[in-house]
């Protein structure tokens, strides 16, 4: 998928991705010549089609987790299907979790929680963020395209 | 106005590169697997899963490390056949470990991940779910292939559901078509369905390892295996009665372990 600024005959570049939380996706593209910005808005079915391929519009920003699509998309997963081993999570980083961030994490289904925790920890580590707060989680969710996590 | 192929700047999404990276991940993960064998038949209920599980056990008993990937995502039966425990799967940052069942056979299956008795259901818009459901299942298969760390395996058996869809997905994901072992029952109905599957496998370039005729010696009449074998120039590598003894599988296992090793795609 590419966007062309017809006036400038110039290929637009990906700028930003947003997930409003209603199953839709917004991705903005900017013309490097004239600065014009357009947004591509996809409906829930189109958004799902892209995520069902295990790819991310705008590119991958953290490495793909094992069984990532299965864990984020299966609705009938067992509570205790995975043991994510707490020792590995955020290993080697000094990232900590605020109390409200942990509370929010507790609301994530067990089937995917360990993986989500690792993704946020990787994200924070990459950006040198010392404490994961709900605000950090919101930004990460959008930036990483973690619909439904 | 310029069209898609005229625009040569790398687009940052790089969807094609992301797909390429997924394929690469599968190739690297399976590099230590000597032989990839898809067990299939165009027909349901002929004993694919039963044959897969018992063949895997016989291979393992013969000292050949063996894994089974249950590619029947909607009707997974392998964990029960291998008596795999319901313990959690250990997930690491880059892979998950397979479970271990009877005779040390390693196994991954959707049944290990789902609530008891629950169907495989996905989150997402229910309207027009047919549009994305197939892609989701192919992705789940790709993740099983790319993310389960089998270690060194002599043989990885894939238990396919009836029909050809999963086989086609498998060929796309692997890049090279897997060797195919077909299972039939003696009847002409089974022969006709399995013929279609074998033809599709040959068209895709799979090597045929042979035909296993299951449920022989009972009420079922016909000679499906002999007819298919002569049509396709492939051996009948086993005839399995109802409730066979364990050594009935040894001969089949022996034949399978003589098959050429999978030539992994150069990465
Ligand atoms: N040789 C056999 N002796 C006794 N029972 C058998 C034999 N082969 C298969 N069965 C039983 O028959 C039933 C169907 O077999 P199985 O589930 O392996 O078929 P399948 O081809 O995998 O079916 P599906 O197409 O639904 O995946 C199972 O209950 C299995 O245990
Ligand atoms: Mg089966
Ligand atoms: Zn412009």
């Amino acid at each position: 998928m590419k966007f062309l600024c017809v006036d400038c005959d110039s290929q637009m570049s990906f700028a930003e991705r947003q997930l409003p939380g209603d199953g839709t996706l917004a991705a903005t593209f900017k013309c490097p010549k004239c600065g014009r910005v357009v947004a591509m808005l996809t409906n829930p079915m189109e958004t799902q089609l892209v995520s069902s391929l295990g790819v991310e519009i705008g590119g991958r920003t953290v490495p793909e987790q094992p069984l990532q699509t299965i864990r984020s998309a299966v609705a009938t997963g067992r509570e205790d299907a995975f043991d994510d081993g707490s020792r590995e999570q955020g290993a080697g980083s000094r990232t900590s979790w605020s109390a409200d961030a942990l509370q929010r994490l507790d609301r994530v289904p067990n089937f995917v929680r360990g993986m989500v925790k690792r993704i946020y920890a990787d994200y924070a580590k990459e950006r040198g963020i010392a404490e994961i707060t709900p605000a950090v989680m919101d930004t990460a969710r959008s930036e990483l395209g973690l619909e439904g996590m | 106005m310029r069209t898609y192929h005229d625009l040569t700047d790398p687009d940052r999404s790089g969807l094609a590169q992301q797909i390429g990276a997924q394929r690469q991940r599968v190739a690297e993960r399976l590099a230590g697997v000597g032989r990839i064998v898809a067990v299939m038949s165009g027909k349901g209920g002929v004993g694919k899963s039963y044959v897969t599980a018992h063949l895997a056990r016989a291979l393992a008993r013969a000292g050949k490390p063996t894994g089974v990937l249950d590619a029947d995502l909607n009707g997974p039966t392998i964990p029960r056949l291998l008596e795999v425990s319901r313990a959690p799967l250990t997930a690491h940052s880059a892979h998950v470990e397979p479970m271990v069942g009877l005779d040390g056979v390693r196994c991954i299956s959707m049944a290990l991940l789902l609530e008891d008795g629950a169907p495989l259901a996905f989150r997402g818009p229910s309207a027009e779910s047919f549009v994305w459901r197939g892609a989701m299942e192919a992705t789940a298969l790709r993740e099983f292939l790319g993310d389960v760390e089998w270690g060194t395996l002599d043989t990885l058996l894939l238990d396919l559901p009836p029909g050809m869809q999963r086989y086609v997905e498998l060929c796309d994901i692997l890049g090279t078509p897997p060797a195919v072992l077909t299972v039939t029952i003696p009847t002409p109905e089974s022969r006709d369905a399995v013929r279609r599957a074998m033809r599709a496998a040959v068209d895709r370039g799979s090597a045929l390892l042979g035909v296993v005729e299951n449920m022989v010696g009972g009420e079922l009449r016909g000679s499906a295996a002999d007819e298919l074998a002569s049509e396709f120039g492939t051996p009948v590598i086993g005839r399995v009665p109802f409730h066979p003894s364990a050594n009935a599988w040894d001969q089949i296992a022996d034949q399978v372990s003589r098959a050429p090793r999978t030539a992994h795609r150069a990465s």
Side-chain angles (χ1 to χ4, degrees):
Chain A
M1 193 177 321
K2 294 172 182 174
F3 291 85
L4 176 71
C5 179
V6 178
D7 288 347
C8 307
D9 196 32
S10 174
Q11 183 176 340
M12 302 179 91
S13 19
F14 172 79
E16 193 190 1
R17 170 177 50 213
Q18 282 180 18
L19 295 169
D22 56 1
T24 69
L25 173 136
T28 57
F29 293 79
K30 191 172 180 179
C31 173
K33 279 207 186 134
C34 70
R36 180 198 309 238
V37 176
V38 298
M40 175 187 73
L41 309 176
T42 63
N43 71 26
M45 192 268 282
E46 293 157 344
T47 310
Q48 178 80 352
L49 184 57
V50 172
S51 62
S52 66
L53 297 172
V55 295
E56 288 176 14
I57 300 275
R60 222 165 238 303
T61 31
V62 296
E64 188 173 352
Q65 292 287 320
L67 310 187
Q68 178 161 334
T69 308
I70 292 176
R71 291 188 72 175
S72 34
V74 169
T76 41
R78 245 168 83 202
E79 274 286 290
D80 59 343
F82 293 96
D83 172 4
D84 288 280
S86 49
R87 70 206 140 76
E88 270 191 72
Q89 294 187 15
S93 78
R94 286 177 302 276
T95 315
S96 65
W97 290 74
S98 76
D100 39 0
L102 280 176
Q103 247 176 36
R104 184 152 136 193
L105 194 64
D106 273 340
R107 290 199 296 270
V108 175
N110 222 341
F111 186 70
V112 64
R113 189 185 306 143
M115 182 184 91
V116 169
K117 190 168 181 190
R118 198 156 44 213
I119 292 173
Y120 285 131
D122 285 353
Y123 173 89
K125 188 173 153 191
E126 219 162 72
R127 285 162 186 74
I129 296 169
E131 189 187 44
I132 299 170
T133 61
V136 171
M137 290 167 88
D138 283 337
T139 332
R141 224 181 116 270
S142 253
E143 270 186 44
L144 304 178
L146 304 176
E147 182 64 65
M149 290 191 197
Chain B
M1 200 175 78
R2 291 189 292 165
T3 58
Y4 186 90
H5 291 289
D6 302 331
L7 301 186
T8 50
D9 284 1
D11 78 289
R12 210 195 94 186
S13 291
L15 297 186
Q17 288 94 312
Q18 288 185 52
I19 302 271
Q22 294 170 351
R23 299 289 187 269
Q24 184 66 26
R25 187 164 164 133
V26 169
E28 284 167 11
R29 185 71 67 195
L30 298 178
V33 175
R35 210 173 274 108
I36 300 173
V37 178
V39 180
M40 62 187 216
S41 69
K43 191 160 165 57
V46 296
K48 291 176 291 298
S49 305
Y50 185 86
V51 167
T52 305
H54 285 279
L55 170 59
R57 293 180 57 191
L59 285 164
R61 285 194 305 268
K64 302 185 191 305
T66 301
V68 178
L69 189 157
D70 190 347
D72 192 343
L73 304 172
N74 294 296
T77 52
I78 291 293
R80 197 181 44 76
L81 286 160
L82 291 175
E83 297 181 17
V84 173
S85 85
R86 292 281 269 164
L89 287 179
T90 304
H92 300 272
S93 56
H95 68 270
V96 299
E97 295 175 21
M99 296 298 279
V100 179
L102 291 173
D103 296 315
V105 175
R106 293 165 226 177
C107 159
I108 186 74
S109 170
M110 204 44 101
L112 300 169
L113 306 183
L114 298 178
E115 288 162 20
D116 277 325
L120 172 59
F122 295 102
R123 285 172 224 296
S126 51
E128 293 158 307
S129 67
F130 66 88
V131 174
W132 52 263
R133 168 131 193 154
M136 201 59 105
E137 289 185 8
T139 291
L141 176 66
R142 194 256 305 159
E143 289 188 340
F144 276 175
L145 288 162
D147 297 344
V148 176
E149 181 49 57
W150 301 98
T152 304
L153 282 188
D154 187 76
T155 302
L156 177 64
L157 299 175
L158 295 114
D159 178 27
L160 302 203
M164 294 310 296
Q165 181 59 28
R166 198 72 80 227
Y167 167 76
V168 171
E169 290 162 7
L170 190 58
C171 290
D172 287 345
I173 295 167
L174 292 175
T176 46
V180 163
L181 180 68
T182 44
V183 180
T184 187
I185 54 175
T187 66
E189 295 74 22
S190 177
R191 178 200 60 206
D192 292 349
V194 175
R195 176 188 288 130
R196 266 185 270 283
M198 290 175 81
R199 191 155 295 166
V202 169
D203 287 349
R204 276 267 172 170
S206 278
L208 300 177
L209 294 191
V211 182
V212 172
E213 193 167 49
N214 189 29
M215 306 184 184
V216 300
E219 311 263 279
L220 300 172
R221 295 280 161 254
S223 49
D226 287 324
E227 292 167 42
L228 291 168
S230 71
E231 261 178 62
F232 287 91
T234 188
V236 178
I237 64 168
R239 296 181 206 271
V240 181
F242 282 94
H243 306 290
S245 60
N247 62 17
W249 302 103
D250 294 343
Q251 172 214 341
I252 301 174
D254 187 54
Q255 303 248 29
V256 168
S257 54
R258 278 169 213 272
R261 299 178 81 78
T262 299
H264 290 285
R265 185 177 43 166
S267 51

